[in-house]
Amino acid sequence: MKTIIVACGGGIATSQTVAVKLENLLADRGLRGSVSVEAININSIPTYIKSADVYVSIAQHGEAQYDIPTFSGIPFLTGMGAEDEFAKILTALGEG
Amino acid sequence: MSTVASLLHPDFVRVGVRAASRDDLLREMADQLLARGTVEPTFADALLAREEKFPTGLPTAVMPVAIPHTDPEHVNESFLSVARLAEPVTFHQMGANAQTVEVELVVMIALADATSQLTTLQSLIGMFSDTETMEALKAAPDADALFAIIARTIS
C-alpha cells in the first residue's frame, strides 16, 4: 500500500476536501485499493512523512522541505491543472 | 431541515458588496455573522490572522474566489457567508502567498465542526472548477438567484 498525505495550514477541512478528490481520481483508475490518502494537520507532517510516499501540500510553498516527492494541492481546489498534477503524482507513485 | 439549508441563510448571500480592502471586507462579513450570534467575538481577528498566514485566494477558470475560514472554536453555528463583489478585492493566493488574485466572489466558511460538513465542502470546492456553475454565479442578477444556484450546487 502506497500512501499520499495531504496537509493544509492549521485546519483540516481543505486538506480533507483535496484528499477525497484524490481518492475519487484513484478510484477512477482502479487504484483505490493500492493507494491510501490521509488528510493531516500541517503540524503533524513530521510524524506522517516517514511512512508516506507522496506529499500533497496546500500550505505555502517553501515553508518546509521534505525528502519525498511533493506536489501542489491547489489544482484540485481550482480544477485548473488537476489532471496534469494527478498524472505527476501517479508517476511518483510508480503507477503512471 | 437539511444540512445544506442550515448552512445557508438569505441574509448571508449578497451581491454588489463593496469594500476598500480585504481586511475591511472580511471584518464586515464577520461582523454580520457576529450580529446574529453565529460566531464568537474572537472570530474576526482569528479569521484575519489566518488569512494573513494561510491565504485563501483561488484563481478559477471563470472568476477568482476566496474561501476565508478559521478554527471551529470561534464558531457557534455553522454558516457560509457569500459576497459577490461590486469591484474585485486583492487577496493573496492559497499555497503561493507571494502571488495575489483579484477576487470577485468570497465564500466565508464558518464551521463549528471541521469535519461534519465535509460533503458540503467538497461540493462547494467542486463548484469552483465547474465552469458552467461559475458562469451562472457571475451572471446571477440578484442575491436570490445567487442563493438558488449555491443551494442547488451544494445539496
Side-chain angles (χ1 to χ4, degrees):
Chain A
M1 178 74 92
K2 303 267 178 65
T3 301
I4 300 173
I5 55 171
V6 186
C8 67
I12 195 161
T14 316
S15 53
Q16 284 206 339
T17 302
V18 170
V20 172
K21 191 127 190 175
L22 286 169
E23 285 175 349
N24 291 338
L25 288 167
L26 289 165
D28 288 346
R29 286 167 174 73
L31 295 171
R32 188 70 190 85
S34 51
V35 182
S36 77
V37 186
E38 293 193 46
I40 61 172
N41 184 289
I42 198 164
N43 299 321
S44 309
I45 291 176
T47 308
Y48 285 88
I49 201 86
K50 297 181 209 85
S51 56
D53 299 283
V54 164
Y55 168 39
V56 175
S57 167
I58 312 166
Q60 183 175 7
H61 295 310
E63 223 169 48
Q65 297 289 324
Y66 299 98
D67 289 340
I68 66 172
T70 301
F71 301 91
S72 172
I74 305 302
F76 304 103
L77 294 173
T78 66
M80 295 193 299
E83 284 179 21
D84 286 351
E85 199 72 5
F86 186 62
K88 289 182 205 163
I89 291 171
L90 289 182
T91 302
L93 289 169
E95 304 280 0
Chain B
M1 188 179 277
S2 75
T3 302
V4 171
S6 70
L7 275 181
L8 287 173
H9 187 286
D11 289 353
F12 302 146
V13 179
R14 298 177 291 158
V15 299
V17 175
R18 290 184 182 277
S21 69
R22 179 197 72 185
D23 286 2
D24 281 1
L25 175 67
L26 295 183
R27 207 167 275 286
E28 191 269 341
M29 293 176 78
D31 285 349
Q32 195 201 18
L33 293 171
L34 178 62
R36 299 298 185 84
T38 71
V39 299
E40 291 288 318
T42 54
F43 178 78
D45 283 346
L47 187 82
L48 264 62
R50 192 187 154 101
E51 187 67 31
E52 192 65 32
K53 194 173 180 195
F54 300 110
T56 66
L58 289 170
T60 78
V62 176
M63 60 178 163
V65 302
I67 51 167
H69 54 284
T70 190
D71 297 323
E73 68 202 63
H74 307 289
V75 180
N76 297 321
E77 194 181 352
S78 296
F79 273 106
L80 301 178
S81 176
V82 181
R84 198 180 65 192
L85 306 178
E87 304 287 344
V89 168
T90 304
F91 277 68
H92 287 269
Q93 191 174 320
M94 192 188 290
N97 299 23
Q99 293 174 38
T100 58
V101 282
E102 297 301 307
V103 167
E104 297 174 38
L105 180 73
V106 176
V107 181
M108 185 177 284
I109 304 169
L111 296 184
D113 172 342
T115 55
S116 68
Q117 310 282 3
L118 188 56
T119 312
T120 304
L121 276 181
Q122 285 166 237
S123 306
L124 187 69
I125 299 294
M127 181 173 83
F128 299 140
S129 54
D130 177 353
T131 304
E132 200 173 314
T133 302
M134 291 300 286
E135 295 281 8
L137 290 173
K138 189 168 182 163
D142 54 30
D144 287 348
L146 197 70
F147 184 99
I149 296 162
I150 296 169
R152 190 168 61 238
T153 304
I154 67 177
S155 62

